[in-house]
Amino acid sequence: MEKLAATAQEILRKNWKDGFTIPTSRLYPFQWNWDSGFTAIGQCHFDIDFAIGELESLFSGQWENGMLPHIIFHSQNEKTYFPNYDFWDANVNLGAPQNPKTSGITQPAVHGFILECLLERFPENQKIQSFAKQIFPKIVNLHRWFYKYRDPENEGLIFIFHPWESGRDNSPLWDESMDRIVIDYNELPSYKRRDTSIAPSDERPTTHQYDRYVYLLQLGKKNKYDEKGIFEESPFLIQDTLMNAVLIKSNQSLINIGKQFGFDTGEIEEWQQQAKPKFSEKLWNDELNTFTVFDLRANHSIPHKEIGGLSSLYAEIPNSKQAKALNDYLQNLHQRNFYVCPSFDVDSPLFDSKRYWRGPIWPQMNWMIYHGLKKYAYEDTAKIVKSDLIELVSKHGFYEYFESQKELAAKLKVGYGGGAFSWTAACVLDLLKEA
Ligand code: GLC
C-alpha cells in the first residue's frame, strides 16, 4: 500500500504544471473543472500549497456572472486538443476572462465539498482556513449562477445543455435527447477530433455523438453563451442527477463552512430547502428503484439505472428506504461478479463495459459513493467499493477508467483511457490515507 501511495503522489507531482494539474498528458493537456477538485483532495496529503494553488488557478477562469468553465486553457500554445480555446471563442461573452482562455460550459460543482474535505482533513491548518475564507464567496457565486440561470423557473433543480457539463460525456442517458438533434451538415463547421488518435476509438464516443457535441457547442457560441437564449433554444435541456446531487452536497458544505467562519448562509439555506426535497420527489423512479434524470425538453424522465442516481447518497438525499434500494443494487452487482460500481446499468442493451461512460468503473465516482454509503452506515458495501478501486489500480495502474466485469478484467493488464490519471491518483491516495 505504501508503494501505491508513493506512485499516486508521483503522478500528481508529474501532472502539476506549475500552478495547475492536467488530468493526464496528451489526452487532456489543460485544467478541467471537477478533475481539479478531486485532485486537490490528493494533493493536500503531501503539499497543501498544491491543493490551494489548484483551486485558485481553477477559479482564475471564473466568469463575471459566476459561471466556472469546464476547461481552463492556461496555455494558448498547446495545439493538440479539440475543441481548443479558439473553437470555443468564449470571449463572445463579455464576462469571460481574456486570460486565461476558457470553454463556455460548466461541470459538476464539487468545490464546496472539496473545500470542506480539506478543512476536515487538516482542521488546524491556518493556510487552509484563510484560503477557505477567501474562496468561499467565489463558490457561493458559482452556486448563485446555477440557481439563477440554470433554474429559470425556480424549481430547485438545475439543468445542463451539453452532455459534457454532466461529466459523463457519452452516457447512454443522453442518447434519446441527442438523437432528436437533426444536423444540417452544411452548417456544422468542419472539425478534426484529436481524442481518437490518442486513445483507441472503441473506448471513445462515436462520430454521431461528437457531431452533436459540436452542434451544442455552436448553439452556445451563437447565443454568446447567454443563458436565456440557450434555455429558449437548446434541444438538449436535462435536469441531471449527478449535477444536482453534487450541488446539493456542496450547498451543505458551504452552509457548514459559512457557519464556521461567520458568513451569512441564509441564501444557501434557501436553495437547499427547495432543492433537496425537489430532488427526491421529482427524480425518484419507483419502478427502477433509483433516481433518474429528467428531460426538460421532452418533459419526461429518462428511465435508466446509472451511476448519477447513486451519487445522491453522498448528498444524503435518499430516505432510508431509497438508500436501502441503492445499497441492494450495489450488493447485487458485487454478487454477480462486477466491480462496483459500473457507470451504467449492466442489464441494459446499451451497457458497454469498455466505452467511456457506458459501463466502465470511474474512480472519482467510487470515491463519492464510498463516502455516501458510510453516511448511511452501509459499511460492508462501502468496504467493497473502496477495495474494488484499490484492487483495480493495483492490478491495472492509475488509469482514467476500468473494466467493470471481473472475468474480462482478469484478462487485461491495464485500464482504459488515459494513464497516470490525476483524479485516480488523488482519490486512491485519499482513501489510502484514511485513518
Ligand atoms: C472526460 C470526462 C470528464 C472529465 C474530462 C477530463 O471528458 O468525461 O468527466 O472531466 O474527461 O478528465
Side-chain angles (χ1 to χ4, degrees):
M1 288 302 153
E2 263 171 42
K3 192 158 168 267
L4 209 60
T7 311
Q9 192 171 316
E10 206 179 294
I11 289 171
L12 290 172
R13 283 196 186 276
K14 257 202 178 138
N15 287 347
W16 172 257
K17 300 292 164 207
D18 220 7
F20 72 98
T21 304
I22 54 168
T24 181
S25 62
R26 300 183 66 227
L27 196 55
Y28 306 123
F30 303 106
Q31 185 175 32
W32 262 257
N33 179 331
W34 73 319
D35 294 61
S36 274
F38 290 106
T39 298
I41 276 295
Q43 291 166 324
C44 74
H45 291 291
F46 62 93
D47 191 333
I48 198 62
D49 291 334
F50 272 28
I52 291 175
E54 186 69 40
L55 296 172
E56 270 174 347
S57 62
L58 177 63
F59 276 81
S60 71
Q62 188 168 29
W63 290 18
E64 260 172 44
N65 62 7
M67 199 274 276
L68 190 64
H70 94 302
I71 307 177
I72 315 295
F73 298 99
H74 289 290
S75 158
Q76 291 172 39
N77 301 325
E78 173 63 70
K79 303 286 184 214
T80 58
Y81 184 77
F82 177 82
N84 215 321
Y85 74 93
D86 45 354
F87 199 86
W88 283 100
D89 201 7
N91 292 116
V92 291
N93 185 301
L94 296 179
Q98 286 293 341
N99 187 19
K101 297 290 182 203
T102 73
S103 70
I105 58 171
T106 192
Q107 261 190 338
V110 296
H111 325 88
F113 74 69
I114 293 292
L115 186 62
E116 191 178 23
C117 284
L118 297 182
L119 287 161
E120 277 169 2
R121 279 155 186 62
F122 300 96
E124 308 297 332
N125 189 300
Q126 291 298 320
K127 272 191 186 170
I128 301 184
Q129 297 201 4
S130 56
F131 171 65
K133 284 186 229 163
Q134 174 213 320
I135 200 161
F136 180 87
K138 297 185 185 175
I139 306 180
V140 175
N141 230 354
L142 169 64
H143 287 216
R144 192 177 295 121
W145 173 82
F146 268 118
Y147 285 115
K148 181 165 176 196
Y149 294 108
R150 294 304 184 88
D151 181 21
E153 288 172 356
N154 199 16
E155 236 196 303
L157 294 175
I158 54 120
F159 70 77
I160 53 171
F161 86 93
H162 197 300
W164 289 344
E165 296 199 299
S166 75
R168 315 198 289 309
D169 304 17
N170 71 334
S171 168
L173 283 176
W174 324 127
D175 288 2
E176 184 200 306
S177 327
M178 290 288 268
D179 286 348
R180 270 202 314 264
I181 300 175
V182 183
I183 301 218
D184 177 350
Y185 282 93
N186 294 319
E187 286 199 0
L188 195 76
S190 69
Y191 66 92
K192 189 173 173 333
R193 283 175 75 168
R194 301 286 185 161
D195 59 325
T196 41
S197 54
I198 296 171
S201 55
D202 61 351
E203 292 172 19
R204 306 288 308 172
T206 61
T207 307
H208 176 87
Q209 282 156 350
Y210 228 87
D211 284 350
R212 279 152 185 82
Y213 299 148
V214 173
Y215 172 91
L216 291 172
L217 186 164
Q218 289 291 119
L219 185 140
K221 191 172 18 175
K222 198 183 79 193
N223 277 288
K224 300 192 165 55
Y225 301 106
D226 167 57
E227 297 298 327
K228 200 163 165 280
I230 290 170
F231 176 63
E232 278 160 19
E233 232 186 273
S234 176
F236 183 94
L237 278 192
I238 306 241
Q239 289 169 326
D240 177 32
T241 43
L242 175 67
M243 286 297 275
N244 280 284
V246 161
L247 191 60
I248 289 170
K249 171 70 190 173
S250 283
N251 278 341
Q252 193 52 53
S253 294
L254 287 179
I255 293 169
N256 301 343
I257 298 167
K259 293 221 158 104
Q260 181 182 343
F261 294 112
F263 287 105
D264 180 359
T265 56
E267 182 185 18
I268 315 169
E269 283 172 73
E270 269 175 38
W271 298 328
Q272 191 71 331
Q273 272 155 20
Q274 196 188 6
K276 222 170 157 178
K278 190 68 190 182
F279 187 112
S280 40
E281 173 206 317
K282 184 169 181 182
L283 304 185
W284 181 254
N285 182 314
D286 252 335
E287 270 160 52
L288 294 182
N289 249 331
T290 189
F291 294 101
T292 52
V293 308
F294 192 88
D295 184 329
L296 274 181
R297 266 300 169 246
N299 197 27
H300 62 65
S301 69
I302 301 180
H304 287 306
K305 288 186 186 172
E306 60 81 53
I307 194 116
L310 290 150
S311 64
S312 60
L313 289 164
Y314 188 40
E316 295 176 84
I317 295 167
N319 60 29
S320 57
K321 197 169 149 238
Q322 293 166 332
K324 182 177 178 307
L326 299 179
N327 181 61
D328 289 349
Y329 171 75
L330 293 171
Q331 280 290 344
N332 178 269
L333 286 166
H334 175 64
Q335 275 143 27
R336 290 169 62 194
N337 220 18
F338 285 95
Y339 284 110
V340 283
C341 176
S343 40
F344 198 72
D345 180 5
V346 302
D347 296 314
S348 162
L350 301 172
F351 173 74
D352 181 343
S353 66
K354 197 172 183 182
R355 205 185 275 276
Y356 219 31
W357 284 97
R358 303 177 81 87
I361 303 280
W362 285 78
Q364 85 291 7
M365 297 303 302
N366 272 32
W367 184 94
M368 284 191 282
I369 291 168
Y370 167 75
H371 288 292
L373 287 164
K374 285 183 75 103
K375 295 208 178 290
Y376 287 84
Y378 285 120
E379 294 292 338
D380 290 354
T381 323
K383 260 190 211 140
I384 294 169
V385 174
K386 177 171 171 174
S387 63
D388 275 6
L389 180 58
I390 291 176
E391 180 178 321
L392 279 166
V393 168
S394 313
K395 288 185 174 164
H396 294 170
F398 285 87
Y399 273 80
E400 184 178 6
Y401 45 102
F402 299 91
E403 175 57 50
S404 50
Q405 304 178 84
K406 284 190 182 165
E407 265 173 44
L408 249 179
K411 297 188 194 128
L412 300 173
K413 291 207 171 60
V414 292
Y416 295 143
F421 214 86
S422 294
W423 66 17
T424 310
C427 291
V428 169
L429 187 58
D430 187 57
L431 292 172
L432 291 173
K433 293 277 179 187
E434 248 186 340

